[in-house]
Amino acid sequence: DVKVTQSSRYLVKRTGEKVFLECVQDMDHENMFWYRQDPGLGLRLIYFSYDVKMKEKGDIPEGYSVSREKKERFSLILESASTNQTSMYLCASRPTDREGSPLHFGNGTRLTVT
Amino acid sequence: AQSVTQPDIHITVSEGASLELRCNYSYGATPYLFWYVQSPGQGLQLLLKYFSGDTLVQGIKGFEAEFKRSQSSFNLRKPSVHWSDAAEYFCAVGALYSGGGADGLTFGKGTHLIIQP
């Protein structure tokens, strides 16, 4: 089974702090994604990466950046955390193919910014 | 741009009763479609997907979904629900980004399923 691991289940940070959310997948998938999930808004794509050192903005990239130095690891960075970034963050991965492979999700990181 | 609508925010069903969760999508090409389930505090688990072929697809946990191109729908069904089916359900449509070949998904806002004893 594909395993996507997010290093923290819960994080509490202060406004203005730099925050790193880490995600590792063990199936050699080319593509990795960061979503945030908020009540009533569903999942919204922040950034994705289709290869090492490659990244693309999703629908809501403002206030975030990402890093992909190794194929298995995709980091989400909040340069200066704000209270409106309090949310559940979900990492996902999938291979590149033409068969509509699904996204495989981690268990999420619930971030609270105070 | 693609979009997904799940018109029901909450649905309450009695245990043992049948279930249908609605999903409508807007997509410019042939879509690929997914249903995911999320238990409290967990990530999303894939229930089933449609890519091509038979429009009635079977998934895990006794769920099925039917793709109807004419109605732009991909409704999820289960003949008899169990208390353990209480969760959040998300419909998603495939999106091909022109930038680099990665396929992200666009999600609906979810339907919260409540099971009455």
Side-chain angles (χ1 to χ4, degrees), chain A residues 17-82:
Chain A
E17 279 192 78
K18 189 169 186 176
V19 181
F20 293 86
L21 303 184
E22 306 288 348
C23 175
V24 177
Q25 51 96 3
D26 66 356
M27 283 300 292
D28 204 37
H29 287 170
E30 293 83 3
N31 307 298
M32 297 188 73
F33 305 82
W34 276 106
Y35 288 86
R36 67 176 281 176
Q37 182 181 13
D38 301 288
L41 297 178
L43 277 75
R44 293 177 292 167
L45 181 63
I46 305 171
Y47 266 97
F48 66 96
S49 168
Y50 53 90
D51 201 352
V52 174
K53 297 191 184 296
M54 306 305 289
K55 61 186 179 183
E56 293 277 351
K57 293 180 179 179
D59 300 317
I60 52 163
E62 295 80 18
Y64 303 94
S65 62
V66 291
S67 172
R68 192 159 181 210
E69 297 297 318
K70 295 184 178 181
K71 191 174 186 179
E72 67 270 20
R73 185 179 297 271
F74 192 36
S75 302
L76 180 69
I77 304 159
L78 288 65
E79 295 288 343
S80 177
S82 64

Side-chain angles (χ1 to χ4, degrees), chain B residues 40-67:
Chain B
Q42 301 296 314
L44 275 69
Q45 180 184 19
L46 179 70
L47 283 176
L48 47 79
K49 73 172 187 179
Y50 171 78
F51 180 65
S52 64
D54 193 347
T55 57
L56 183 63
V57 293
Q58 302 297 320
I60 62 171
K61 305 185 180 187
F63 286 93
E64 66 178 27
E66 186 171 13
F67 171 61

Side-chain angles (χ1 to χ4, degrees), chain A residues 9 31 33 35 37 40-43 45 48 50 56 59 90 94 96 98-103 105-107, chain B residues 32 34 36 38 41-44 46 49 51 88 90 97 99-110:
Chain A
R9 290 299 303 274
N31 307 298
F33 305 82
Y35 288 86
Q37 182 181 13
L41 297 178
L43 277 75
L45 181 63
F48 66 96
Y50 53 90
E56 293 277 351
D59 300 317
L90 293 166
R94 70 175 295 275
T96 295
R98 297 184 182 278
E99 295 298 319
S101 294
L103 289 174
F105 283 88
N107 282 334
Chain B
Y32 57 94
F34 303 86
Y36 284 86
Q38 185 181 35
Q42 301 296 314
L44 275 69
L46 179 70
K49 73 172 187 179
F51 180 65
E88 192 85 14
F90 293 93
Y97 289 89
D103 289 13
L105 296 183
T106 298
F107 286 82
K109 294 182 178 180

Side-chain angles (χ1 to χ4, degrees), chain B:
Chain B
Q2 63 281 343
S3 66
V4 177
T5 301
Q6 294 179 246
D8 302 305
I9 298 173
H10 301 277
I11 281 189
T12 300
V13 178
S14 297
E15 191 169 13
S18 64
L19 170 71
E20 182 170 34
L21 301 183
R22 295 182 291 164
C23 172
N24 292 97
Y25 67 90
S26 173
Y27 192 64
T30 301
Y32 57 94
L33 296 152
F34 303 86
W35 274 100
Y36 284 86
V37 61
Q38 185 181 35
S39 298
Q42 301 296 314
L44 275 69
Q45 180 184 19
L46 179 70
L47 283 176
L48 47 79
K49 73 172 187 179
Y50 171 78
F51 180 65
S52 64
D54 193 347
T55 57
L56 183 63
V57 293
Q58 302 297 320
I60 62 171
K61 305 185 180 187
F63 286 93
E64 66 178 27
E66 186 171 13
F67 171 61
K68 293 185 177 180
R69 185 187 301 275
S70 61
Q71 298 177 19
S72 297
S73 69
F74 189 56
N75 293 348
L76 182 71
R77 300 194 294 250
K78 188 171 184 178
S80 176
V81 298
H82 185 263
W83 64 267
S84 60
D85 293 325
E88 192 85 14
Y89 291 80
F90 293 93
C91 181
V93 63
L96 181 63
Y97 289 89
S98 60
D103 289 13
L105 296 183
T106 298
F107 286 82
K109 294 182 178 180
T111 297
H112 184 60
L113 177 62
I114 300 165
I115 306 295
Q116 281 183 335

